[in-house]
Amino acid sequence: MADEMTAYVIEEYGDPDVFTRTTREVPEPEANEIRVDVTASSVNPVDYKIRQGALPDFAPAFPATLHCDVSGVVDAVGADVEAFEPGDAVYGMPGGAGRQGALAEYVVGDAGTFARAPESISLEAAAALPVVALTAWEMLTDKTTVGSDDDVLVYGASGGVGHVGVQVADWLDADVTGTASSDEKRDLVGALGADAVVDYTTTDVETYVEDHTSGAGFDVVFDPVGDDHLATAFEAVRPYGTVVTTESSSTQDLSPMHANSLDLGVVLVILPVLLGDRQERIGEELAEIAELVDDGALEPHIEERFGFDEVADAHRRAEAGDFNGKLLLVDD
Ligand SMILES: NC(=O)c1ccc[n+]([C@@H]2O[C@H](COP(=O)([O-])OP(=O)(O)OC[C@H]3O[C@@H](n4cnc5c(N)ncnc54)[C@H](OP(=O)(O)O)[C@@H]3O)[C@@H](O)[C@H]2O)c1
């Protein structure tokens, strides 16, 4: 095979046009790693936050190949890898933060950060799932437990993490209320399986707590937004309930947690890759998520498909926020 491959890299932080197409050496897998011939990736906020320079501790070494999500076909396996062999269709979250990522012809990562791709959706579409599905899965099954008929409130329910959160909470048999800021977004949230949909821009927290929990408060509030949403989450949850979030960078008054004896769960899904530790957790969870997809309980909503050479346009659209679900990047 060729020694060199095409990659889209950043050599400095900057706006979406900072990406350049270049060639770099095809990486060789270590004993515990696999090399994947990349089919597709997708855009997550972590990718553009790294590009902007907002998460310097997460940036791969420059020139940095970004993007965490990947799907593709196993091309080579390290000496100690037994779970995969060349030709396997996989999806995973091997890098893009902490180490080189997916915007290239090949990516190498710890075998534990991959699982066999779902069979009921295209391999391309599978790349929309890893970061958002792992995040929603950990929020709802690790940081809290959701029981049958629990009232679960999902903020940002039409976004990447939220649209999976609605489907996983529904699969857990919860009574799901989702929030969204436009008619189009609310239509999607209803179609994904939410029992109720709230326009939080015109409905205050007391009203939706009254309307959807008879004033008792939600058992679990799922917050992939942070800031003001995290503050209202503490008002929307019932006494002894749980708030799970992906964003804790804002300063919050925690006295409502004390007043109502609340639990707070915070997810950092990329942590196993950043630490190089417990990475098999990623592949184990992705295997469970693939089962959900193949059982028809979970499907990614893909709003637009871009080529790798259109990564700047994909980042611009993602940062503008005028989309639902996921933006896909395909290695055409
Ligand atoms: N800690 C972790 O492990 C982890 C993992 C994944 C994601 N995240 C973080 O979680 C957040 C959500 O990720 P995502 O993939 O769901 O993002 P996304 O697809 O861009 O969706 C974000 C949703 O949040 C809502 N929102 C409210 N205020 C917003 C604002 N000022 N700008 C943009 N959206 C706003 C929007 O819905 P409405 O218009 O209905 O309000 C939007 O649909 C990001 O900050 C991301 O970095 C963290």
Side-chain angles (χ1 to χ4, degrees), residues 43-49 55 58 93 130-136 138-139 154-164 178-182 185-186 189 198-201 222-229 245-249 266-271 317-327:
V43 186
N44 288 289
V46 67
D47 305 316
Y48 61 72
K49 290 177 188 177
L55 298 172
F58 288 19
M93 190 184 66
V131 168
V132 294
L134 287 162
T135 304
E138 291 185 12
M139 290 167 82
V154 178
Y155 286 137
S158 65
V161 176
H163 93 293
V164 178
T179 74
S181 63
S182 70
K185 289 181 172 196
R186 287 189 290 277
V189 175
V198 169
D199 177 358
Y200 72 93
T201 67
F222 177 106
D223 167 37
V225 183
D227 284 322
D228 293 350
H229 287 71
T245 186
T246 60
E247 282 298 312
S248 56
S249 48
V266 185
V267 166
L268 178 56
V269 77
I270 199 76
L271 189 61
R317 183 153 192 207
E319 286 173 87
D322 65 336
F323 69 99
N324 299 324
K326 295 290 298 178
L327 303 177

